[in-house]
Each structure stands twice: as structure tokens, then as C-alpha cells.
Amino acid sequence: MNVHAPNQTPAPTATTCPYCGVGCGVLATPDRLGGATVAGDPDHPSNFGRLCSKGSALGETLALEGRLLHPEVAGRRVAWEAALDAAAKGFRKALETHGPRSIAIYLSGQLLTEDYYAANKLFKGFLGSANVDTNSRLCMSSSVAGHKRAFGADTVPGTYRDLETADLLVLVGSNAAWCHPVLYQRMLAAKAGRGTKIVVIDPRRTATAEEADLHLPLAGGTDAALFAGLLAYLAAAGRIDEAYVAAHTNGFDAALGKAREAAPDAGATAEACGLAKADVAAFFDLFAKTERVVTLYSQGVNQSLAGVDKVNAILNCHLATGRIGREGMGPFSLTGQPNAMGGREVGGLANQLAAHMGFDAESVDRVRRFWSAPRMAKAEGLKAVDMFEAIGRGEIKALWVMGTNPAASLPRADEARAALAKLDCFVVSENMASTDTVTAGAHIRLPAAAWGEKDGTVTNSERRISRQRPFLAPPGQARPDWWAIAQVARRLGHGEAFAWRTVGEVFREHAALSAFENDGARDFDIGALADLDTRDYDRLQPVQWPAPRGGVRRETRFFAKGGFFTADGRARLVAVEPQPAPPAETAYPYRLNTGRIRDQWHTMTRTGKSPRLASHLPEPFLEISVGDAAREGLLDGGFARVTSAHGAATLRVRVAEGAPSGALFAPIHWTGETASDARVGALVHALYDPISGQPDAKATPAAVAPVAFAVQGFALSRSGFGPLQGDAWWAKAAVPNGAGLLFACDAAPDLETLLPALEPEDEIVSFADPSRGAFRAAVFRDGVLEACLFVGARRSESPWTYLRGKLGEPISEGRIRSLLLAGRASEGAAQGPLVCACHGVPKGEIETAISGGCADAAAVGAATKAGTNCGSCLPEIRRMLAGARAAELAPA
Ligand SMILES: Nc1nc2c(c(=O)[nH]1)N[C@H]1C(S)=C(S)[C@@H](COP(=O)(O)OP(=O)(O)OC[C@H]3O[C@@H](n4cnc5c(=O)[nH]c(N)nc54)[C@H](O)[C@@H]3O)O[C@H]1N2
Ligand SMILES: Nc1nc2c(c(=O)[nH]1)N[C@H]1C(S)=C(S)[C@@H](COP(=O)(O)OP(=O)(O)OC[C@H]3O[C@@H](n4cnc5c(=O)[nH]c(N)nc54)[C@H](O)[C@@H]3O)O[C@H]1N2
Ligand code: SF4
Ligand SMILES: [Mo]
């Protein structure tokens, strides 16, 4: 055990951020109170010391509140032995009675490679079932399939450095400013430093689009037509690299033929994509004349009925120009989760086997021999959507869910949740005691070690493997996921093959499999890491693959000189046939697009704990264009009921200037745990790309209508809340020293019911104006704010922003009176929402700096510190600067 003198700071642990696929290095220093302070690792090649708002707030997410700390079976706390016995029994029974098709495991790109490897090995090698799929099906599978079609393997050819040495960056369906913030800052640095041009292709005017030189707000789903048009243009402009095409590719003529049919020129392309011809022409010209181009893409491409075709339409343009695998150029799939790539490496998808091998007979035999596997799965298993439909039909009897929340994140999420209740044996490995998936009826609940406690590796978007190292002891009975898998494997009679004593042993086996009978035939080879001893593994520095035995290179790229992983070694250009957007449906005239916001991660089980992260956008909302809002009678700040053929949600309305007409956008983050009625996944149709099986989460037909509540407001409390009466709308928001609740309902909530922990000696200061439906109360205990309740006909943003940080603090009588009487924070305290989450700078402070003469973002940063850490708020600051400038120029 490490014992430190009280005034001696423990040495920081170098680990990796558990959120996005950028894979930033983090230095974590435990505070010996169960938490830790975090800083960016200056030596990590992903971030060189930077962190975004989410990474910077990791220390606020380590509290044990809500953690699942003990195994449970049928609602009762049990010892691990009993829980593992029960899981093994459930799977054995399904196998013996119904065979390997009746079992499944649903994994996650947030597991470590070692967890993932163990799960895949057990199911595919020892239980004979390829029903092993993952949330990466909803995330990266179209990119995987596109890569395999074009390259013969799931290879990301480039590196992050290319983003800094490119002259043109094209972002397609990627809101990198919010979703890959540190990488986006590296792109902006290239723009500032070498004048790199940035083009953003996204139907919405996102924070990413705001910083771009050119934004193409194409009609959703039409990317394949845009890139078909680009290919035709490149040919017409004489920009094809004839030598590269001749030496290293197949299918060029057919691909060009189809492209010319679909989108012969800029005009036809503009029409197919709903864009201005001049914008399309400008993009084509820029792409044609710039040699160093990187095209980055993410969910606007992948999560689509034509996701794989979109990917191949993009890859075609890079292959045809030979702009691949060389410094500053290439296609670049931005992976979402911290270990989306590691999951692909171990074969976490139902249509992959392991180590980038498929289900061809030779690979099946090779893996069987390597594992000495008694019961190999010989064919692909069910992909996520089909897997949950099979569960719903009662065909799958036993399911293990690990590190993902499918009852919230799958399309048609209400149906997925209901399907889970049909299982005979439903095991969930979780960090949290209550999630929409756990409460969907999990019989066996296994407490998993969380970030900070887990030990293993992850692979980021540029194929770089980094260590996640523990710096906290697992609390309660929490254990690593790979260990739970190995324990169940032993109970099913496979002790020898799962006898690992340390996580490093799992990694070595995985690395050895990647090199087994490889000899350059497969892209994924980390044979150089197969013999690391425990010390080397512990000290492993970030390393990019391929890393075959006998050498690790510092930087790696693929395909500059061909060498594709197809049978003939040539890349395939795919003749893509762009599909027109389906016509609008009368009952559901809008297209519901879903995605992410800057400061929350998925279903909020971790970021939802951070007060800092809750201050940017605290409520579930619906973004709608000005014209559509007017047509539907929706007011900014009001409420809307959104419905689809599958479900409904009630969301706060945000009328947005940059929103496309006919489309709605809602964030995916709120669940049954955090809001009354905002399970957006419930609305999403379960249609998927026919090749990848990846669902289209960006274009569900939907309808929208206004909802009126008599009153709305918020409550804060140091000791939690009682229920709201009636049909209330609510959302929880993390605040310092307690809990926050935003709500709307038909009658003002009763103080004593909502705040059941009030005590007789509490001092309550209140104000009521029944004629305006207003009631405001502040509760003080021992001179500090214990709770408060604000109710009115309209939103009370200003007191919320002020008071959310004041629980447990004294407040002067004068200020509380002015708050209660006027509903306004006095003395310049009404600062609006936090714009800069890293330094805690509210909107008001930035406005003051601008009106005080700060003319650009750098000056605002110097005056307020806003935007000087992760930079993800810079677009918002620039927008405020532009707004101020426009107001100055406007005639009086
Ligand atoms: N803050 C934050 N960051 C995250 C995550 C998070 O939860 N929060 N999650 C991580 C994960 S797992 C992922 S997968 C990534 C996702 O990262 P992104 O893909 O960047 O994020 P999304 O918001 O899902 O979608 C990106 C954009 O696609 C656009 N889009 C929709 N339809 C189309 C279309 O037809 N064509 C084009 N060109 N664009 C379209 C949307 O308007 C949206 O702005 O983010 C990762 N990073
Ligand atoms: N409508 C719509 N739906 C979407 C998307 C969209 O854009 N629109 N995006 C899709 C995409 S790209 C993704 S990646 C998914 C994400 O969706 P999910 O994977 O369902 O979301 P998370 O909240 O990340 O769920 C991770 C869960 O695992 C737990 N957990 C975290 N670490 C560990 C661990 O080490 N071990 C274990 N056992 N548990 C752990 C967390 O507490 C949490 O409950 O959503 C998909 N669904
Ligand atoms: S960009 Fe942010 S969320 Fe992504 S890895 Fe880095 S710190 Fe974590
Ligand atoms: Mo994702």
C-alpha cells in the first residue's frame, strides 16, 4: 500500500480519457478522499496536454453516488460466487435446451480491449455463438463495411498529424467542435497556422460549421450524391491520378460511370443535395486543386440507410486522386467511443471473428487452432437491431449486456426495453445501480470497475493503443469485466482457456493472435507487443499499429503505395447509386435528426454527475427552424410534443437560426433516469443500412405540436426531492452541493411535498403573487441556503443560473429579497448559462468583456479566461462577438 505523508501529493497516474475516440492522455492525481484531480498529459500524442470540457470535468464524476457496488440476483444482494453461478446456470440452460442461437452478448466500445477480447473468445470459441454484437453497430459499422469493401480490411489509413499538415479538411456529418473537441482544436490550429481551409457538410449549422470557410447544408441523406458529383468533377477537371488508379485499384470506370449518371456536374449535384450551385462548385474546385486533403466523417455518414455507400463515395474520391496514406491526405473515419477501434480489433461485431478476421473457413480454422476452441461459431451472428428483435420474439433466452445502455440507445428504444423483460436470463454488468437497461428487468446485476479503477488498453481513431491505468481502488465489490467473463467461462467448463491471472496476460494473448499466421496478410498486427512482461505492459507508451514483431514505428500510414488487403492487392472503387430522399409522410412531415451536445456523454451516467457540465445545456430540447416553429405555433423556450410511429417525447423548444426547415434535432442524452419524458431513442425508426446493419438515427419521420403547462420553474435542494404531482414535465440537473430539478406542470408544486426534508427550525423566506401564478421560496438552515423553489408562468433563467451554485452558502438578505420579489438576480449576478465550462465563465461576463472593448476571442480569453483551455466554446464566443459587431453596425 502507498502511504503518503499528509502534505505530500501522490504522483499522478498516466491514463486515458474514457470518453471520445480522440483518446486524450490524462494525468490523474487521487485526492485521497475517493476523488482525483485531472490534467491533460503533455506527453500524450493525442492531445499534448489539452483536455476538452468533459475530460477536464472527470474529477467531478468519480463520486460513488448511484454506483452498483454489490452483485445482485433477483433483487437481492449476493456474493460474487452466487451471482456468477446464477449467470453460468442461465447460459448453460439456454444452451442445453435451445442451442447456441438462444444466447447473446451485447458489448460496448467503452469496454477495454481485454474485456472485449475475453467476451468474444468465450462466445465465439467456447459457446459456439456469434451473437456477439456491440453498440459500435450503432456507431461505426458503416465505416467498417465501407473500409472492407474498398480496402479489403477495416483500415483507417491516416494519422492525426495529417490534420495538421493538410491544406483542406472536409468534415462530413461530423460535429467535431463538440464531439472530438481536442482534435478539432488541432484542426483550427492548422487553419490559423498554415491557412488550412475547412469545409463542413452538415444539414445543421453546428458549432463546427460556424468555424468553417464553407458550410454546405445539404439535405439529409444526400452525401453519396455529393461525392458522386465530386468524382465526376475530378475526372472532368483532369485531377485523376491515372498512375495510382492503374497500378492499385479496380472498378474506377464503373464507379465513374455511375457517378456521371447520378450527378454529372455541379448544377445537378446541387439539385440532388438541395444546395446552392455556387457552393457546390466552390467545394469541388477547392477539393480538385488541393493535393493535401483529409476528409473526416462521422455519424452523419455512418448512421444512414446508405451509410456504407456514403463511406465508399468518399473513399472513391481519395482513391481516384491517389490521395491516401501520404502526409496530410486521406479519408479519416472519426471513431466515437474511446475503444471503438479496440472492439473492432478483437472482433466484437457479430460479422467479424477476431483480430480483423472474418468467418471464412480458413480464418475460422486458424482462430480455432489458436484458441484450442471446442465449439467455434462458424457463421455470422445477429447484428444489434436483429438481435433485439430476436429477443422480442423469444428466440434469444439468455443475454449479457456489458457497458452499454440499449434500453435507451437502441432505435425503437421502448420496444427494445420491453423485449428485455422476455428473457429467461438477463445479466447486466454495470457501473451504475439504476439505468434504463438495469431497470428493464435485469435478473443478475454485476458491479463493474469503472474508469479510474479499470486496467487495460484502448485504441483511438488513429490506431493508437494507450493504457487506461487505475488510480483508485474499486469500491465495494466492483470487479473488472474481463474477470467476470473468465469466471463464468470457468463455471461452464472452460477454466484452462480462461485462466488469466492478470489483465496483461489477456493483452498478450490478443497481441499473439493478431500475429498468428499473419505475415502481412492482415492489417491488424501487434505482434511486437505479444511478449511484453508485466512491467513492460504497465509502462506501455501509446503505440500505433501496425506493430509487427521486430519493429515499432513511430508513425504509420497505409496504402500510399497500394498494398490493399483484397485478394489481388488492389483497392475497389464502388459504383455507388445515390438514392433520392424518401418523400415526406403526411402524418409525420418532419425528419427527426438526433445527436450530441458539447458537455454530455450518451446516457449521462457519468457526465450527468458534473455540475460544471450541466450548466451549458441543462434540459432536453428540440431544435427547430424559425419558419417551422412559426407554422407549428411553437415558441422559443416553450414545450413541444414530438411523435413518431414508434414513440414520443416532450422537449423544451429551441428555435434556431441555423436549423434547416423540415428537420428537427434532439439530443440523445436524457433517459428515464434523468427526465420525465425525453427518451429520444424511443422515437427513432429501426431501419438500417442493408450492408452494415447500422440504424439510421438521423432521419425518422416525425410530427411536432405545442404543449402548454400552466406553470414552470425549478427547485434546488441539498437533500433531494419528493414527487411532483400530476402529469409534470421534469429534468434533473447536477448542481454543486445538492440536486437541481427543472419542471413544468399544471399547478404549482406544494413546497412540503417537493421538499420533504424541511425541518421546523428552517427559515423560509417566500413570496407569492397568485395573480401571476408566481411562488418563490428560499429555505435557510443554519444561515446557508438549504433549498429553494421558483414557480411562475414563464421560465426563470436568471435566478436558476445564479442560485444553482449557491446551495450550502449564505446569501445576503438584500439579494434574496430582490430575487424573490423580482425574480431577478441583483448586482450583475444574472450571468446567464456557462459558456466556458472549463473556467466557469458565464455568458454575462463575456458580454461585459465585449462591451468593455474586447474585439476578438483572444482578447475575451485574456480578460475572462473563457475559451483558453479546451476551446470548445470558441465558436459561441465568436458568435457573440459577431452579434455585438452587427448590433454596432445596425442603423439606429
Ligand atoms: N460531447 C460528446 N462528444 C461525443 C459523444 C457524446 O455523447 N458527447 N459521443 C461520442 C460518440 S460514441 C460518437 S459516435 C461521436 C459522434 O460524433 P458526431 O458524428 O460528430 O456527432 P452527432 O451529433 O451524432 O452527428 C454529427 C452530425 O451529423 C449531422 N447529420 C445528420 N444527418 C446527416 C446527413 O445526412 N449528412 C451529413 N453530412 N450530416 C448529417 C448532424 O446534423 C450532426 O451535426 O461523438 C463522440 N463524442
Ligand atoms: N437516436 C440515436 N441513438 C443513438 C445514437 C444517435 O446518434 N442517435 N448514437 C449511437 C451511438 S454512436 C452510440 S456509441 C450509442 C451509445 O449508447 P450507450 O452505449 O447505450 O450509452 P452509454 O451511456 O455510453 O452507456 C454505457 C453504459 O455502460 C456503463 N459503463 C461505463 N463504463 C463501464 C465499464 O467499464 N463496464 C461496464 N460494465 N459498464 C460500464 C455506463 O454506466 C452506461 O450505463 O448510442 C447510439 N444510439
Ligand atoms: S476530446 Fe475530450 S472527451 Fe475526447 S478524449 Fe479528449 S478530453 Fe476526452
Ligand atoms: Mo458512437
Side-chain angles (χ1 to χ4, degrees), residues 17-24 26 47 50-56 58 179-183 601:
C17 176
Y19 299 126
C20 83
V22 175
C24 295
V26 171
N47 56 320
R50 277 181 179 259
L51 292 176
C52 77
S53 51
K54 294 181 297 300
S56 305
L58 274 166
C179 295
H180 298 90
V182 167
L183 212 48
W601 176 263

Side-chain angles (χ1 to χ4, degrees), residues 141-142 145-146 149 301-302 304 306-313 689 691-692:
S141 58
S142 293
R149 276 210 297 189
V301 167
N302 292 336
S304 162
V308 186
D309 277 353
K310 288 184 180 185
V311 170
N312 285 110
D689 180 284
I691 301 166
S692 67

Side-chain angles (χ1 to χ4, degrees), residues 139 299 336-337 596 602:
C139 182
Q299 298 317 338
Q337 298 176 91
R596 291 153 174 82
H602 296 167

Side-chain angles (χ1 to χ4, degrees), residues 863-887:
T864 66
K865 290 181 93 177
T868 57
N869 184 43
C870 80
S872 29
C873 61
L874 286 171
E876 204 161 328
I877 294 172
R878 293 207 184 96
R879 198 185 320 136
M880 290 169 69
L881 283 158
R885 228 169 290 137

Side-chain angles (χ1 to χ4, degrees), residues 174-382:
S174 156
N175 187 7
W178 282 10
C179 295
H180 298 90
V182 167
L183 212 48
Y184 190 63
Q185 289 307 311
R186 288 177 69 173
M187 298 184 224
L188 290 184
K191 181 172 151 82
R194 62 182 281 142
T196 302
K197 292 272 186 289
I198 296 182
V199 176
V200 171
I201 299 168
D202 191 312
R204 299 159 57 219
R205 191 165 175 78
T206 58
T208 313
E210 278 172 9
E211 300 281 297
D213 297 283
L214 177 63
H215 171 215
L216 299 181
L218 84 180
T222 62
D223 306 71
L226 181 64
F227 283 86
L230 177 59
L231 184 65
Y233 181 87
L234 292 167
R239 295 291 176 165
I240 303 299
D241 183 338
E242 310 280 355
Y244 188 90
V245 168
H248 303 304
T249 73
N250 281 326
F252 174 77
D253 291 337
L256 180 60
K258 273 276 180 269
R260 281 186 173 142
E261 264 172 45
D265 54 31
T269 310
E271 200 169 317
C273 302
L275 289 166
K277 186 181 164 194
D279 287 349
V280 173
F283 167 53
F284 284 2
D285 180 54
L286 199 55
F287 195 108
K289 70 180 191 213
T290 314
E291 176 77 351
R292 290 184 167 210
V293 186
V294 179
T295 307
L296 302 114
Y297 50 94
S298 189
Q299 298 317 338
V301 167
N302 292 336
Q303 290 174 341
S304 162
L305 292 182
V308 186
D309 277 353
K310 288 184 180 185
V311 170
N312 285 110
I314 293 169
L315 301 184
N316 283 350
C317 294
H318 280 272
L319 289 167
T321 50
R323 295 174 187 163
I324 187 164
R326 285 186 285 143
E327 170 102 46
M329 56 188 96
F332 206 115
S333 145
L334 285 171
T335 54
Q337 298 176 91
N339 202 26
M341 293 283 269
R344 288 144 73 171
E345 289 153 19
V346 303
L349 292 160
N351 53 328
Q352 291 182 340
L353 186 47
H356 279 203
M357 282 178 273
F359 280 97
D360 56 286
E362 204 184 324
S363 296
V364 171
D365 185 59
R366 182 182 303 116
V367 178
R368 181 187 62 73
R369 284 182 287 116
F370 181 85
W371 280 342
S372 302
R375 202 174 183 187
M376 278 299 288
K378 299 204 175 63
E380 297 182 4
L382 294 176

Side-chain angles (χ1 to χ4, degrees), residues 339-526:
N339 202 26
M341 293 283 269
R344 288 144 73 171
E345 289 153 19
V346 303
L349 292 160
N351 53 328
Q352 291 182 340
L353 186 47
H356 279 203
M357 282 178 273
F359 280 97
D360 56 286
E362 204 184 324
S363 296
V364 171
D365 185 59
R366 182 182 303 116
V367 178
R368 181 187 62 73
R369 284 182 287 116
F370 181 85
W371 280 342
S372 302
R375 202 174 183 187
M376 278 299 288
K378 299 204 175 63
E380 297 182 4
L382 294 176
K383 300 178 178 131
V385 171
D386 294 341
M387 180 188 280
F388 278 76
E389 283 179 1
I391 295 168
R393 289 191 304 269
E395 290 162 18
I396 289 175
K397 308 283 183 192
L399 173 75
W400 193 338
V401 172
M402 188 176 268
T404 175
N405 194 358
S409 61
L410 277 175
R412 267 184 359 221
D414 285 349
E415 263 173 65
R417 184 171 62 178
L420 292 168
K422 300 200 175 160
L423 289 159
D424 292 342
C425 173
F426 175 20
V427 185
V428 175
S429 293
E430 248 302 333
N431 296 153
M432 301 303 289
S434 187
T435 69
D436 285 5
T437 299
V438 172
T439 58
H443 310 129
I444 302 172
R445 305 176 180 189
L446 304 178
W451 184 78
E453 303 147 17
K454 296 197 291 187
D455 195 1
T457 55
V458 291
T459 308
N460 74 2
S461 292
E462 61 161 356
R463 291 175 274 109
R464 195 180 295 280
I465 298 169
S466 294
R467 290 277 279 113
Q468 264 196 24
R469 294 186 178 88
F471 54 89
L472 298 170
Q477 296 289 308
R479 294 280 182 280
D481 292 305
W482 68 266
W483 177 87
I485 291 273
Q487 289 296 320
V488 169
R490 277 178 211 185
R491 284 165 173 76
L492 291 171
H494 307 300
E496 211 179 313
F498 292 83
W500 309 299
R501 282 155 308 158
T502 65
V503 68
E505 289 177 19
V506 186
F507 182 81
R508 281 199 287 279
E509 184 180 314
H510 159 65
L513 174 56
S514 78
F516 185 60
E517 299 175 0
N518 188 333
D519 299 321
R522 308 192 301 270
D523 64 340
F524 178 64
D525 185 343
I526 54 168

